[in-house]
Amino acid sequence: LSNVSLLLASSQPDRAQRLFIESGIDQLKHNFITWDWIQESRIKIALGCGNLDEAVKLCDHEIKNLRLLRNLSRVHHVYLLKGKAHLRVGEFESASAALDEAGKAASELDARWILWQIYAAQSELAASMGDSSGAGRLREGASRLIKEISAQISQPDLKESFMLRPDVAAVLGG
């Protein structure tokens, strides 16, 4: 499981997909934590490989299941992934709706870790739609949350690792 995550984190979705299939990971679906991780990995692999219709379909299925099970602790992340998929194909209205749902769900849980990512995606959406002031405002919100999170990390190596993440650096680098 961790090797697939590492490959996804290092922008190698094709290799992650091969490992995912070859390892038979999806046979572990009896464990809910593992199943959630499997579904999220499938979505990320589809996104990374450019199979955006498949990613949206997987997101819709996972959102439906999470809501049926009343497992709202992850629904914000799946909506974020769905919003990113719509954004990548230029479906701005659908991207906005998914990112708004992600933001509402994350705000209800005070999930700052995901909120900064949602703000960053909304900033990208606003920029794509020509709203530079909105994009700047959202990027600033993401930056503020990143700095708050960083300030709470007491271990220097973990703080450095967080701040050097490509997605964090992209927000802070502006």
Side-chain angles (χ1 to χ4, degrees):
L1 298 176
S2 60
N3 288 339
V4 171
S5 292
L6 288 171
L7 289 169
L8 287 169
S10 62
S11 299
Q12 299 180 59
D14 293 329
R15 288 185 60 203
Q17 183 177 34
R18 277 194 305 278
L19 179 59
F20 187 88
I21 292 167
E22 291 168 1
S23 68
I25 289 173
D26 60 343
Q27 301 306 311
L28 301 173
K29 54 188 161 192
H30 63 279
N31 179 318
F32 278 115
I33 293 170
T34 304
W35 182 246
D36 287 344
W37 180 89
I38 289 168
Q39 291 303 94
E40 187 175 314
S41 294
R42 284 183 174 147
I43 295 166
K44 288 180 177 180
I45 287 168
L47 270 171
C49 291
N51 301 327
L52 303 177
D53 289 339
E54 178 70 9
V56 169
K57 185 174 91 174
L58 289 167
C59 286
D60 287 338
H61 181 73
E62 183 67 358
I63 290 165
K64 177 183 160 199
N65 287 339
L66 289 169
R67 291 205 180 279
L68 283 172
L69 295 170
R70 292 184 175 19
N71 179 358
L72 304 182
S73 65
R74 289 190 50 258
V75 76
H76 49 58
H77 194 178
V78 180
Y79 270 117
L80 171 62
L81 294 171
K82 182 178 178 178
K84 286 181 175 184
H86 284 300
L87 180 59
R88 285 185 52 192
V89 293
E91 297 172 348
F92 299 145
E93 194 171 306
S94 295
S96 180
L99 293 172
D100 287 348
E101 286 296 322
K104 282 190 263 182
S107 292
E108 288 174 10
L109 298 173
D110 193 29
R112 293 177 306 140
W113 174 259
I114 200 78
L115 272 171
W116 76 261
Q117 295 173 65
I118 294 165
Y119 291 162
Q122 288 174 323
S123 173
E124 184 181 342
L125 173 62
S128 295
M129 295 175 69
D131 180 5
S132 59
S133 65
R137 197 171 52 256
L138 288 159
R139 181 177 295 281
E140 181 54 39
S143 178
R144 179 183 45 78
L145 285 173
I146 288 170
K147 291 172 185 171
E148 287 175 12
I149 292 167
S150 175
Q152 293 182 346
I153 301 173
S154 60
Q155 294 178 323
D157 58 332
L158 291 177
K159 183 181 288 202
E160 179 182 13
S161 175
F162 173 63
M163 297 303 283
L164 291 175
R165 286 174 46 124
D167 52 354
V168 169
V171 169
L172 296 178

